[in-house]
Amino acid sequence: MVSPETSNCTVAVVGLGYIGLPTAVSLATGGLDVVGVDISPGIVELVNRGEAPFAEPDLSVGVSGAVAMGRLTAQREMPQSGAYIIAVPTPFDGDHRPDLGAVTAAARSVAPVLRGGEVIVLESTVPPGTTRAISELIAGLRPDLRLPHASEEPDVHLAHCPERVLPGRIMIEIATNDRVIGGLTPACARRAAELYRTFCHGELIITDAASAEMAKLAENAYRDVNIAFANELSLICDRLGLDVWEIRQMANHHPRVDILRPGPGVGGHCIAVDPWFIVAAAPEQATLIAAARHINDQMPAHTAERIVATSRRFREPRIVCLGLSFKADVGDLRGSPAVEIVARVAAALPEVKVLAVEPHATALPDQLDSLGNVILADTAPDIPLGIEHAIADADVIALLTDHGCFRSIRRSQLAGKVVYDTRGMWA
Ligand code: SAJ
C-alpha cells in the first residue's frame, strides 16, 4: 500500500545516466512526478526534448512518453522534492580506490534544499559505510536537521538501494528484479521500499545500509571471479593445446558445475570496477577477488599479443576485428576490452591498417581514432554487405564481441583465414 506521502511526492533523480534515466522513466510511468537532475546541459536538453542520450532497448519510447505526459522534466539545479534518488558514477582512482566525488557532490547539492520529511536513496555502487558517511556529511551541512545515523526519529530518511540491472535489459530488469533495500534505520528502509514499490514488481529485501552496500559488491565480485576462472581455464587450455570450449561444455554437463564463458576480458563500468571496492575495504582478506581482477585485466594484452604474433607472419596482413563494444548487442564502448585489443594491435603494427567492424558505432572512439591506422568498417543497415566485404578481404579475423549480427557469418567465409574467436561463437 503506497502512503499519501509517496503517492503525492515528487522524486528528484540525480544523475541521468544508464541507471538514473531508466529509473526516472520507470517512476514517471508508475505515476509519480519526476525531475531529472544532471550536470550536463546536453543531457538535460535532450531529455526535455523527450530523447534518450544513449541507446538501450525501450528507453527512447519511455523517455518520450514520460516527457509528453508531463511527468518527467530535466534540469541542472537541485529542486525541492519529497524524495531523492542518487544514481551518479562511482569509478576508481589510479590506485583502484573508490572515487566518491560525484556521490558527495550530489549529497552536498541536496543538503541545502532539504526541509525535513524527505527520503534520500543512494543507488550508486559504493563501499560499505558510504550511506552512513553521506548522512554524516548532510548532518554537518544542516545542523538544524536530525539525520538517521544519529537519531531513531530523523527528519530525513536515508537508504541504499543498489542498482542491479543488466545493460541491454535495463528497462525490463528495473521492473522485475528483486531489490535489496538497506536503511540506516528500519523506518528509512520502509520509506525507500514504498517508493520502489511504485515501479518494482520484484521482491524488496529489507536490510541495513552497510549490508546492502556489501551485497551489491558481492554480486559483481562473484561474477568477476567466475569469469576469471573461465579465463584462467582458457589460458591453461591454450598452454596444453586443448579446446577450452569443448572442455567447458563437457564440464557443464555436471549437475553442479556452471563455468562462465572465457573471453577477451571484462569490460563495462561495473564488474571491472566494483570488486576493487572490496579489495580497498579489506585488502588482506580479498586475495581471491584481487587475483580475479588481475587475471581479467590481463586478457586484452594477452589476446592482442596473439593477434600481433600471427599477423607478423604475413607480409602485409589485413586484420579485421569484429566488435568494439564491451559485450554483445550493446553499443557501449566504455571500458571495452575489444577497444583495448584493437588499440594494442594497431600500436604494435603501425604500418598495418586494422579494420574494426562495429555495427553499433558510427565513429571510432578517440583512443582508436588518434592512432591513425584503425578504420571503422561501413556497416550501416543500408550497407548490408559491409561485414561480408570486411571478412572476404581479411587474412586475420579476431572476433572480439559476440554480436548477434556476426552469427550469420558462415564457416565457409572463414576458410583459409587465421581466426581468433575469443567468444567461442564458432566453437
Ligand atoms: N563476460 C565474460 N564472460 C561471461 C559473462 C560476461 O567474459 O560469461 C564479460 C562481458 O563480455 C563483459 C563483462 O564480462 O565484458 C561484463 O558483462 P556482464 O554481462 O557480466 O555484466 P554487466 O557489466 O553488463 O552488468 C553487471 C551485472 N551484474 C551481475 O550480473 C552480477 C548487472 O546485473 C549489474 O547491474 C551491473 O553489472 C552493474 O551495474 O553493477
Side-chain angles (χ1 to χ4, degrees):
M1 174 75 180
V2 176
S3 72
E5 243 173 345
T6 298
S7 62
N8 292 329
C9 91
T10 58
V11 186
V13 177
V14 187
L16 292 176
Y18 284 78
I19 302 303
L21 186 56
T23 304
V25 166
S26 302
L27 286 158
T29 311
L32 298 184
D33 288 322
V34 183
V35 181
V37 184
D38 203 285
I39 54 171
S40 157
I43 290 178
V44 166
E45 195 189 317
L46 270 178
V47 171
N48 280 329
R49 282 212 306 262
E51 292 172 33
F54 53 90
E56 176 64 31
D58 302 327
L59 180 63
S60 284
V61 65
V63 174
S64 63
V67 171
M69 281 190 309
R71 290 268 186 220
L72 173 63
T73 58
Q75 60 187 51
R76 289 171 68 193
E77 310 72 36
M78 192 62 65
Q80 286 193 324
S81 182
Y84 296 86
I85 293 179
I86 298 176
V88 293
T90 46
F92 55 64
D93 66 15
D95 296 327
H96 293 131
R97 301 195 71 81
D99 172 358
L100 299 177
V103 170
T104 50
R108 281 181 187 283
S109 57
V110 169
V113 296
L114 295 171
R115 292 166 292 190
E118 297 88 348
V119 57
I120 303 172
V121 184
L122 182 58
E123 278 223 18
S124 311
T125 304
V126 291
T130 305
T131 308
R132 186 185 166 89
I134 293 300
S135 182
E136 289 167 357
L137 174 78
I138 294 173
L141 297 166
R142 291 296 303 269
D144 55 316
L145 293 174
R146 283 171 301 178
L147 270 295
H149 69 278
S151 166
E152 278 298 313
E153 286 180 21
D155 297 314
V156 176
H157 291 87
L158 246 142
H160 180 54
C161 180
E163 61 87 5
R164 18 161 65 169
V165 287
L166 194 71
R169 288 177 44 82
I170 290 179
M171 294 313 289
I172 176 79
E173 289 206 0
I174 230 168
T176 57
N177 282 1
D178 297 341
R179 300 295 294 251
V180 175
I181 300 188
L184 281 180
T185 67
C188 291
R190 275 199 301 278
R191 276 291 300 279
E194 269 197 359
L195 182 59
Y196 280 70
R197 192 36 90 216
T198 62
F199 67 92
C200 172
H201 309 298
E203 187 184 340
L204 302 179
I205 302 144
I206 302 296
T207 183
D208 62 276
S211 299
E213 290 161 340
M214 192 61 198
K216 163 67 191 195
L217 298 178
E219 290 163 16
N220 279 357
Y222 170 85
R223 194 152 170 86
D224 198 44
V225 167
N226 281 280
I227 297 170
F229 177 83
N231 283 334
E232 184 167 286
L233 197 62
S234 86
L235 297 175
I236 294 166
C237 286
D238 274 356
R239 179 86 177 84
L240 302 181
L242 296 168
D243 177 354
V244 70
W245 297 102
E246 188 191 355
I247 308 286
R248 172 180 179 267
Q249 193 198 19
M250 291 188 294
N252 281 350
H253 273 278
H254 186 288
R256 286 173 295 283
V257 174
D258 188 9
I259 302 171
L260 291 181
R261 301 179 73 83
V266 169
H269 12 98
C270 310
I271 294 196
V273 174
D274 303 350
W276 288 120
F277 294 5
I278 300 181
V279 176
E284 281 177 25
Q285 289 73 27
T287 53
L288 174 66
I289 292 171
R293 274 289 67 243
H294 289 299
I295 290 168
N296 288 335
D297 272 354
Q298 75 173 31
M299 293 309 291
H302 170 80
T303 309
E305 267 165 34
R306 294 192 62 193
I307 297 169
V308 170
T310 304
S311 301
R312 286 199 205 280
R313 301 210 308 255
F314 294 82
R315 217 156 52 88
E316 287 177 17
R318 289 165 300 177
I319 305 173
V320 171
C321 293
L322 300 177
L324 287 177
S325 61
F326 85 96
K327 67 175 192 174
D329 302 322
V330 301
D332 194 347
L333 307 190
R334 294 173 306 161
S336 172
V339 172
E340 183 183 338
I341 291 164
V342 174
R344 283 176 177 271
V345 171
L349 303 168
E351 71 292 354
V352 173
K353 295 253 180 289
V354 179
L355 187 67
V357 181
E358 178 47 76
H360 297 275
T362 50
L364 284 174
D366 291 345
Q367 189 189 350
L368 298 183
D369 203 26
S370 59
L371 289 168
N373 60 331
V374 182
I375 299 161
L376 183 66
D378 210 341
T379 50
D382 54 333
I383 312 178
L385 291 179
I387 297 175
E388 315 252 321
H389 282 153
I391 296 222
D393 285 344
D395 297 310
V396 177
I397 297 175
L399 178 90
L400 303 179
T401 313
D402 46 347
H403 290 316
C405 60
F406 297 146
R407 284 188 196 282
S408 60
I409 297 169
R410 295 180 306 282
R411 274 170 200 274
S412 58
Q413 290 174 274
L414 304 173
K417 301 170 190 304
V418 179
V419 177
Y420 279 115
D421 177 3
T422 69
R423 300 286 187 170
M425 191 173 233
W426 299 305

